[in-house]
Each structure stands twice: as C-alpha cells, then as structure tokens.
C-alpha cells in the first residue's frame, strides 16, 4: 500500500507516518528529512538547498523528484508513505509516473486538516529527539523531566532552523499557493480522504486507520 499524507507544515504528517511505519512496516519517505540530511552532510545538493529551505521556499521539482526516484527503486516493505511530497502539481504528475514505472499504485491520499492558528502554535513549540526523531511539543508533549527521550533514551533534542515565525509564514504561503491545489487534483482522481488533524494523536491515528482499512 502506497499513501500520501497531505497537509500544511505542522499538520502532524511526520508523527502519523512514524506510527504507520511501526505498525504496518511501511517506509516513510520525507523529502524534508532527505534534504536536511543532505544539508547537514554538506553535499553539493545540500549547499544548494540550504538557503532556500531556511527561507521557507520550495526547492526545485527536479531535485525532490530525483530523491524520490532513487528511493522507489529500493526496498518497498509494506509500502511507501509520502510525507511532504508531492508539494506541486508537477511533483504529483511525476509521482504517478514513477509509481507506474515500478508497477506500483497510489492507494490513498489522506489530507490532514488543521487550522492555521494551531499550526503556528504547534510549530513554534516543537522539537525532536536527535537520535530517533521522536516529536515533542512544549505544551502538549514536553520532553520528559529527566531529559531523556521516552522512545530511545537519547538526551539531545533539536529544533528545526526553519521552525520560526518568519519562515513559517513563507512555508504556509508556499503551501497555499503551490500545494493546496493537490487537494482538488486528488479529489478529482477519486483518491482523496480527509481527516481532522487537530484532535489527539491517538484519535487522528484511528481516523487514518479507518481510511486505510
Ligand atoms: P518539511 O520537513 O516537509 O517541512 O520540509 C522542509 C523544507 O524542505 C521545505 O520548507 C522546503 O524548503 C523543502 N522541501 C521538502 N519537501 C519538498 C518538496 N516536496 N518540494 C519542494 N521543497 C521541499
């Protein structure tokens, strides 16, 4: 089963993707994570994308489509969860073609709906474990008092450089201008389902499970 989690930054795509990986042996393909990795390891591509990401703009379709193309050739396990990809109509078309080349299908597109005020509050409060990527929130899921990650015991936590109000505004603008048309695109293809992304993590998880059956 291959699925897309679609929604603005902070909608909870990464958190839900991690649940699906654990429970359904799926593979999370987050272009944001891949780009941050390239940036941190100082590759040529990483250098090219660093400024664009810091500003909250989208990197070129060519770069992200290339990243996804490589991953689709690898192990498919229980299927792919596309998290943060596609973000433009050109990327959506390319994904359809790449899946077809691999003899795969897109089985569901799940739109995670959240209101904009909640997004800003969530994003400016979030951090992740530097070892395992577990997501924390200063208000709703604070880092444990002993300073150890509840998932892996790691003691280093990171905040994303682009999780500040200014780049967030730009990221939201990019979402509304370039990514939100995908809601209509997948609706017209009969592949769209929507869940309320504002609820408790467990409730959102249950709604997604219902969609996937
Ligand atoms: P994310 O972790 O998904 O919020 O992505 C972080 C940043 O990486 C975005 O603000 C973009 O600069 C870049 N990015 C991630 N995925 C894509 C994509 N599919 N297309 C273009 N840019 C992307």
């Amino acid at each position: 089963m291959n699925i897309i989690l679609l929604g603005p930054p902070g909608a909870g795509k990464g958190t839900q993707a991690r649940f699906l990986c654990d429970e359904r042996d799926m593979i999370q393909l987050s272009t944001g994570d891949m780009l941050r990795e390239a940036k941190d390891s100082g590759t040529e591509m990483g250098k090219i994308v660093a400024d664009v990401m810091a500003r909250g703009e989208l990197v070129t379709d060519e770069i992200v489509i290339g990243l996804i193309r490589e991953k689709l050739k690898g192990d498919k396990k229980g299927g792919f969860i596309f998290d943060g990809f596609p973000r433009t109509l050109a990327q959506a078309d390319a994904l359809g073609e790449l899946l077809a080349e691999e003899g795969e299908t897109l089985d569901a597109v799940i739109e995670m709906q959240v209101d904009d005020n909640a997004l800003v509050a969530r994003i400016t409060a979030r951090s992740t474990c530097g070892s395992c990527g577990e997501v924390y929130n200063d208000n709703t899921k604070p880092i444990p008092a002993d300073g150890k990650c509840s998932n892996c015991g790691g003691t280093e936590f990171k905040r994303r450089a682009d999780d500040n109000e200014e780049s967030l505004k730009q990221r939201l603008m990019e979402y509304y201008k370039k990514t939100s048309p995908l809601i209509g695109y997948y609706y017209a293809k009969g592949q769209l389902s929507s869940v309320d992304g504002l609820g408790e993590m467990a409730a959102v998880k249950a709604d997604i499970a219902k969609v996937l059956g």
Side-chain angles (χ1 to χ4, degrees), residues 9-10 13 30-33 35-36 49 52-54 56-61 64 83-88 91 126 160 162 171:
K13 304 185 295 292
S30 157
T31 40
D33 285 349
L35 292 166
R36 274 184 291 279
V49 300
V52 179
M53 291 175 76
E57 293 167 9
L58 295 188
V59 310
T60 64
D61 289 336
V64 288
D83 160 11
F85 180 93
R87 261 174 154 102
T88 64
Q91 291 177 24
R126 81 174 164 187
R160 276 172 50 170
D162 59 350
R171 283 155 69 200

